[in-house]
Structures are given as structure tokens and as C-alpha cells.
Amino acid sequence: MKKIASFEIDHDLLTPGLYLSRTDRNTYTLDIRLTRPNTVPLKVGALHTIEHLAATYLRNSDIKDGVCYFGPMGCLTGCYLVLFDDISEERAAKAVKAAFEFIISFEGVVPGTSSSKECGNYLLHDLEGAKEIARSYVKELSDGFNVYP
């Protein structure tokens, strides 16, 4: 079988940042790399909380109509955000930064965690861990996308 594009990236050179991962038809995928690959993976509860908060924020933001998907990477080093291509790269980068600033300042009950009816693992969350990751990530962000090594 042919190797998929994401396996062609040299993960030994990746650092935290925002990368344009791929473009497909009328969508593009952002690699929201929260930590360096092949080091200590993100804690599942914190990453799950980031998923809930960032997805909720983005789907209520000024780019909400352009959001196709937001979710964690299986390797536990970041998240993917899939957007329709009518959302400019500049707007996307600003929205990602705003989502992580939202996580840093979030107080209260994480959306989608009130009961087992809302989430398949509604008890597996770590708000303080999510905030710690978000604080570190925001410091790494520039005004746009990084280029894959």
C-alpha cells in the first residue's frame, strides 16, 4: 500500500505550532501540534477536554460555518481542525489562537460532560491539564501557519 501523506512528515523535526497538513477538494486540514512528537504524550483527560472546549468554541465562533471537524490525534501530540476552503488561513490561525485562549480562561463545567448521554467518556476530563497545555501552546503560536520540516 502507498504510504499516506502524514507518514511522510519527519516527526523527529516537528515542534509545537500550527501547520497546514493537507488540502482536499474544498477543505483543508490544520495540524495543531501541541507537543513534540515521540516525547511524553499528552494526558488523555487533558486532550479530551481540549477537544470539547476547542470544538465548542470554534463551532460558535465567526468561522463556525467553515468548521468540518475538530478532534485529537491518535498519537496524543495534538489535534486536527478541518475547515472549508472559504475560511482564509489568516482567519483560521486567529480562530485557533482564540480557541486556546478560551481554554486558558474557561471556568465551569466543560460542555458535553454532564452525563453519559452527552459523551462516550464523559468522566475522562482534566480542565487544569488542558489549561496548562493551552498556556504552553499559545506561547508557541505565530500569526500564521508553520511550514512542515
Side-chain angles (χ1 to χ4, degrees):
M1 281 191 212
K2 184 178 176 184
K3 196 183 281 191
I4 64 173
S6 64
F7 297 158
E8 298 288 338
I9 304 303
D10 188 342
H11 286 70
D12 289 337
L13 302 176
L14 273 179
T15 59
L18 181 62
Y19 299 87
L20 177 60
S21 176
R22 58 181 296 137
T23 57
D24 299 282
R25 297 185 189 152
N26 66 334
T27 65
Y28 63 98
T29 303
L30 297 182
D31 173 334
I32 299 171
R33 193 63 59 156
L34 301 173
T35 191
R36 182 180 279 282
N38 298 305
T39 59
V40 178
L42 298 171
K43 293 181 180 174
V44 176
L47 186 56
H48 192 197
T49 300
I50 288 170
E51 175 195 11
H52 277 237
L53 290 173
T56 298
Y57 177 85
L58 292 165
R59 289 189 173 116
N60 284 281
S61 73
D62 70 333
I63 68 162
K64 66 184 175 193
D65 293 333
V67 175
C68 298
Y69 171 78
F70 182 91
M73 295 177 181
C75 61
L76 305 177
T77 63
C79 297
Y80 288 117
L81 172 59
V82 182
L83 297 168
F84 288 111
D85 63 8
D86 60 344
I87 302 298
S88 71
E89 292 181 5
E90 180 183 14
R91 284 180 67 203
K94 285 181 180 177
V96 168
K97 185 173 184 179
F100 280 83
E101 289 169 342
F102 170 76
I103 293 167
I104 292 166
S105 65
F106 185 82
E107 297 294 332
V109 177
V110 174
T113 64
S114 297
S115 76
S116 62
K117 293 179 182 184
E118 294 181 328
C119 175
N121 240 329
Y122 80 106
L123 297 176
L124 182 60
H125 285 274
D126 176 3
L127 179 57
E128 291 310 311
K131 288 181 175 199
E132 182 180 326
I133 293 166
R135 279 190 290 273
S136 176
Y137 184 63
V138 165
K139 291 177 188 173
E140 299 291 335
L141 287 176
S142 60
D143 290 333
F145 297 165
N146 296 51
V147 177
Y148 274 135

